[in-house]
Structures are given as structure tokens and as C-alpha cells.
Amino acid sequence: MSTDSDTRVIIPRTRPSCTHCQRSKKRCSREKPQCSTCVRHGRDCVYTGNTTVIAGVVDHIPSASTSYQPPDISRSTEDNFPVVFFLDSILFQRSLNKLPDLDPSLNDHLPKYIGHIAPDPAFIKSYFATIHPSIPFLSRKEFRERILSPLSSRRPAHTLLIASMKLLASPLPEQGPRCSAYYAIKSSLIEAENSGILDLRVLQAIILIALFEIGHAIYPAAYMTVGYCVRYGSALGIHKAVEQYSEEEFSASESEERRRSWWTILLFDRRFISLGSADKPILTTDPSGNSLLPIDDATWEENRESFAPVRKLFEPPTTTMGRFSLTAQAAVLLGRVFRSIQESPIQEGFWQNDVEVLDRTIVALTKVSLEEGRFRGIGVCSPSTICYRYVITDRLMSQDFKNDIAASMLRLAYAIRDAGSCAGDEITPLCIEAIYRSAVFYGKEYSRTGAYSALVSCEAIKEALALISKRWRVAASYVQLIDARIISGI
């Protein structure tokens, strides 16, 4: 190798692949300063390291003067993702009908965060014991056999999902929810999007991050992430699993997991995002009466999907439908309530009749979910808490029924307070808003009647929320809102 006065050197044959060929995993020709692939696409051919290619030579640049150059994401995506998928879906189905298998680039922090995955790590046990019962959209069998098993290949999308599960199932870090692991997962999700990746495991990671943000009151991120779930799930096509039982490309078990993932997104969009601000629009469309509900949860856990009876949305609720199926029905009903609030009635009489039908249906669903919870030994039932919020705030509901619902939440608050923080750990974000609304109910009762018992009830719920806040930061925000309502009289 020879040099001259301006430090120009001949490029060795062993120089690395250009950055584009590395990202697209293509063989780099390395024939000229511009490889043949980059020449064909009319792009600048850039090689890794502290060098730049100029006319067949390398100018060495001191490392101190180098600056980070972001990857050419737009060009990489243009080559890897078939844009015909969005521009002409019919042509895509007739020509390709399958998206390429791509993997996202992970933030370097994530593999260190999850560490060595033991056969049954503690955070996985915690996830399936506390989070999974309320939103069982992950197939435990598929997860253990295809993701957790040491024989399965650890794809980056799997690492992303496992990291999201650990973040959600672990105790709140000392630095708060906006920790380094949270930002590492968020940055990896952005990289997955920029890389043109549509993958069910990536979507499930997004769902878990949305729940994490909701549970810790990370706004407006939670609002945006739920919207992202809707768009990503629609692009992935899992909304179709709600309308048809058998999907051509998937087994019964895979279709049920896709169906449950979409119902979880519907639950987030129709319940969580519209709870405190009913004026914000719902992004998902109303499912049809023939939409398929999740199968019974026990059947789901026992992997007997093929033998489970298929329930549809229009069917009246029963205790044999399963908790998540009732939760799905409750979410749809609440979505219709919010739409009735947002849309001006064409005819007042028709609108009033529609509201009364919704009221009766929600009361019936509340009673069935309470029976289902008692039958299965469940202290807090997700569909019940979804209905509670509407029942307590609806002016048309009878005062006696409101008292019964608020008393149910008060009993839960006493149980949490008496048991200490361990009981608060078992509460999921699905329940917290209903507990808050019950405190508001007792606060208003105290303002209206001056009954000391109502004040005591309100304070008991605040104490329970304070305990829950050690696990879910949003509970602390609700305590502040209770005080603000009492002081302001709102």
C-alpha cells in the first residue's frame, strides 16, 4: 500500500460492504467506488468506518471530526417494503400476497435489559399472573413454544415483545416510568416502523407499551400510541379476524390470537382514550352484530380453540361466554355511548329511545359480569368496571343502582387498604378509573347531603388509590383529581 503527500491511499480489496448492502443484507459488489447496486439505484455509496470514498481512494478523516449520520431510512424502506401493499391492494394480493420477512434494528439497551432468558423467568410469571388475566391477547402456548423456547430463533421482534412484557410486569423503577428501558423500546418501535416491518409480535409490543403508558399516565404519548395500535393493526389486517373465524393463512389458534389482539385495541380505543374526554373521536369503526367474540378464557388457556362455541356480538351476554368476551361487549357498548354523546340527534325522540336501550343493555351486562366474577372467583371483573363508569355518571340511571355500583368499588377499596400494597399490585389499569369515579360519586354525595359516611367512603377510596399508585402512577393523578373536584365543587 502506498501513500502520497495528501494521505491518499488505494482502497484494499477487503474493504467492508456499503451501508445500504449491510442493511438490506445484499452482497456488495465492491467493484468500484460505487457498488453496482448503488449505481443502479442512483444513490451515494457510503462505506462504514471513519473513511469516505472519493474517486477510487480513501481520505482518512480524524475520528474527532466525524459526526453521526442517520441511516438512509427512506431508501432502505423503498427497497425492502413493497409499496404496492398500500398503493394497490388488489395488485398486491394477485402478485405478491405476502409481505417480506424483515427484522427491526433493536436499541442496544434491550438485549441487556431482558438478559439471559431462563426457562421460566420471574417477570414472565408475573405477567401471566397479573396482566394476562385482564387482557389475555397473548397465546401462552404459542409464546412458550415459539418465543421463549431456547430452540426457537430469537428474532428481534421477539426480543422487543419480551422487553415490553418485562417493562409492564416489573415494579415501578425508582426513576419513574420514563426509564431507559421505556425509551429503548419506544426507539426500537420507531425503527421497526421506519424499516417497513409489519409483524404481529411488534404490534403486541405496541399494545403492551400503550397499556404501560395508560397505567402510568404518560400523556399525550398514551393517546398517540393507541392510535398507532389502530393503524398498525389495520395495516397488518388483524381486524379481519374479528369478522371471519377461519383465516386462510393461519391456524385456529393463530386466528384467535389475532382476534384477541384486535379486541384489545378496540378496548383501548373505546374505553381508555375516551374515558376522561368523551368529545375525542373513536378511531375504530363499530363492529357488526356478526363480529366474532373471543372464545371462553378457560378454553383459550387449555388450547381447545377448535372445539369452542363461536359467539357473536349480537348474542345476549351469559356467564359462560368468558370474561374477555364480556369485556369486548362492554367496550363496544361504551363506544356507542360515546358516539351518542358526540353526534347530534336527528330526532330527539329517536335519540332518547336509543339511549334507553343502551342503558338497559349496560345494566344487564353489568349484572351478568358480576355473576361471572362470583362464579369464577374473580374479585374484580374487567367488564364490570367498564360498565361502572357509565352507570355512575349517567343521569338516567336509578340512584339505588348507582349506590350498589359505588358500594362494590368501595368494598374493593377497603380490601386493598386493609391488605396493603400487595393487593394494589394485583390491580390492573382496567379497574382504576372506575374506582376514581366511585370516589367522585361519594364526594358529590357528601356535598349534596353532608353525610359524613360519604366523606369517609371517599377518603377510603383515596387511600386505596394511594397504595395502587406505587404500582401504577396514574392512581396518584386520580387522587389529585378527587381533591380538585371536592375543592372546586365540580
Side-chain angles (χ1 to χ4, degrees), residues 288-293 310-316 321 329:
S288 68
N290 288 317
S291 295
L292 303 178
L293 291 168
V310 179
R311 304 281 189 177
K312 296 187 177 181
L313 186 59
F314 73 84
E315 296 182 34
M321 295 177 73
Q329 283 191 320

Side-chain angles (χ1 to χ4, degrees), residues 170-444:
S170 300
L172 187 63
E174 291 184 4
Q175 65 268 40
R178 298 174 189 264
C179 56
S180 57
Y182 165 70
Y183 284 116
I185 294 171
K186 292 281 282 188
S187 66
S188 295
L189 289 174
I190 293 173
E191 178 62 27
E193 175 190 341
N194 290 335
S195 300
I197 295 169
L198 291 176
D199 188 286
L200 177 63
R201 302 309 177 191
V202 174
L203 172 64
Q204 290 173 331
I206 300 171
I207 292 172
L208 293 180
I209 290 301
L211 183 60
F212 180 82
E213 291 171 340
I214 290 168
H216 294 298
I218 304 177
Y219 286 97
Y223 183 83
M224 302 300 182
T225 305
V226 170
Y228 187 27
C229 288
V230 175
R231 285 300 188 191
Y232 196 101
S234 299
L236 197 58
I238 67 166
H239 60 290
K240 299 175 184 177
V242 175
E243 302 301 331
Q244 55 190 22
Y245 181 75
S246 177
E247 294 181 284
E248 187 174 330
E249 302 177 50
F250 307 100
S251 65
S253 177
E254 291 170 331
S255 291
E256 178 66 21
E257 186 171 18
R258 286 162 56 84
R259 187 176 303 118
R260 284 170 170 259
S261 296
W262 185 248
W263 275 118
T264 303
I265 294 172
L266 286 171
L267 171 64
F268 286 178
D269 183 41
R270 291 164 178 273
R271 168 160 164 72
F272 285 114
I273 297 307
S274 299
L275 280 176
S277 50
D279 58 325
K280 290 183 174 59
I282 294 172
L283 299 180
T284 52
T285 57
D286 284 333
S288 68
N290 288 317
S291 295
L292 303 178
L293 291 168
I295 63 175
D296 176 66
D297 300 319
T299 305
W300 166 245
E301 295 295 340
E302 294 166 6
N303 307 308
R304 293 187 287 110
E305 299 88 351
S306 301
F307 306 99
V310 179
R311 304 281 189 177
K312 296 187 177 181
L313 186 59
F314 73 84
E315 296 182 34
T318 66
T319 56
T320 60
M321 295 177 73
R323 179 169 27 166
F324 197 55
S325 182
L326 293 172
T327 301
Q329 283 191 320
V332 171
L333 284 174
L334 197 61
R336 291 175 183 171
V337 170
F338 290 140
R339 286 198 189 280
S340 70
I341 294 172
Q342 295 165 4
E343 299 173 357
S344 300
I346 300 175
Q347 295 179 355
E348 184 66 28
F350 175 80
W351 180 80
Q352 184 67 29
N353 181 68
D354 192 38
V355 169
E356 291 175 356
V357 170
L358 278 174
D359 286 344
R360 291 195 297 270
T361 306
I362 289 176
V363 169
L365 181 58
T366 303
K367 292 179 178 178
V368 169
S369 63
L370 286 172
E371 292 175 9
E372 197 263 358
R374 286 191 291 266
F375 175 73
R376 304 199 182 204
I378 301 168
V380 183
C381 196
S382 300
S384 304
T385 57
I386 291 178
C387 297
Y388 285 174
R389 189 266 189 188
Y390 176 69
V391 170
I392 291 176
T393 57
D394 186 14
R395 291 174 295 178
L396 298 180
M397 292 292 179
S398 70
Q399 188 66 22
D400 289 342
F401 194 51
K402 290 183 180 181
N403 287 334
D404 291 343
I405 297 302
S408 178
M409 288 290 96
L410 180 60
R411 287 192 294 272
L412 174 62
Y414 279 133
I416 294 171
R417 189 189 66 176
D418 296 341
S421 59
C422 60
D425 292 343
E426 298 176 0
I427 297 295
T428 66
L430 287 167
C431 309
I432 300 174
E433 208 268 352
I435 299 174
Y436 161 70
R437 292 292 170 181
S438 299
V440 172
F441 171 80
Y442 283 118
K444 288 185 176 180

Side-chain angles (χ1 to χ4, degrees), residues 35-176:
C35 75
S36 58
T37 303
C38 290
V39 169
R40 186 168 64 254
H41 291 280
R43 74 177 99 254
D44 294 331
C45 191
V46 180
Y47 289 81
T48 57
N50 296 331
T51 59
T52 56
V53 179
I54 302 178
V57 299
V58 177
D59 280 4
H60 289 274
I61 303 174
S63 59
S65 65
T66 59
S67 60
Y68 171 72
Q69 296 294 328
D72 193 348
I73 291 171
S74 60
R75 287 173 176 168
S76 176
T77 303
E78 179 183 351
D79 285 346
N80 294 333
F81 188 86
V83 294
V84 65
F85 180 80
F86 287 101
L87 299 184
D88 192 333
S89 60
I90 295 177
L91 181 59
F92 169 80
Q93 292 169 6
R94 298 286 294 272
S95 302
L96 301 176
N97 200 32
K98 185 180 180 181
L99 291 172
D101 293 328
L102 303 173
D103 282 319
S105 299
L106 295 178
N107 185 291
D108 293 338
H109 181 75
L110 287 191
K112 299 176 184 177
Y113 174 65
I114 64 175
H116 173 70
I117 301 297
D120 204 3
F123 72 86
I124 296 294
K125 287 183 178 179
S126 176
Y127 174 85
F128 281 108
T130 59
I131 306 297
H132 180 75
S134 294
I135 48 171
F137 69 96
L138 273 174
S139 168
R140 195 191 306 248
K141 177 177 180 291
E142 294 286 328
F143 178 79
R144 293 193 179 280
E145 291 181 357
R146 300 193 179 186
I147 298 178
L148 202 60
S149 171
L151 298 179
S152 63
S153 59
R154 182 60 49 78
R155 294 178 50 217
H158 295 171
T159 300
L160 189 55
L161 176 60
I162 293 171
S164 301
M165 295 172 70
K166 181 174 183 178
L167 180 67
L168 193 60
S170 300
L172 187 63
E174 291 184 4
Q175 65 268 40

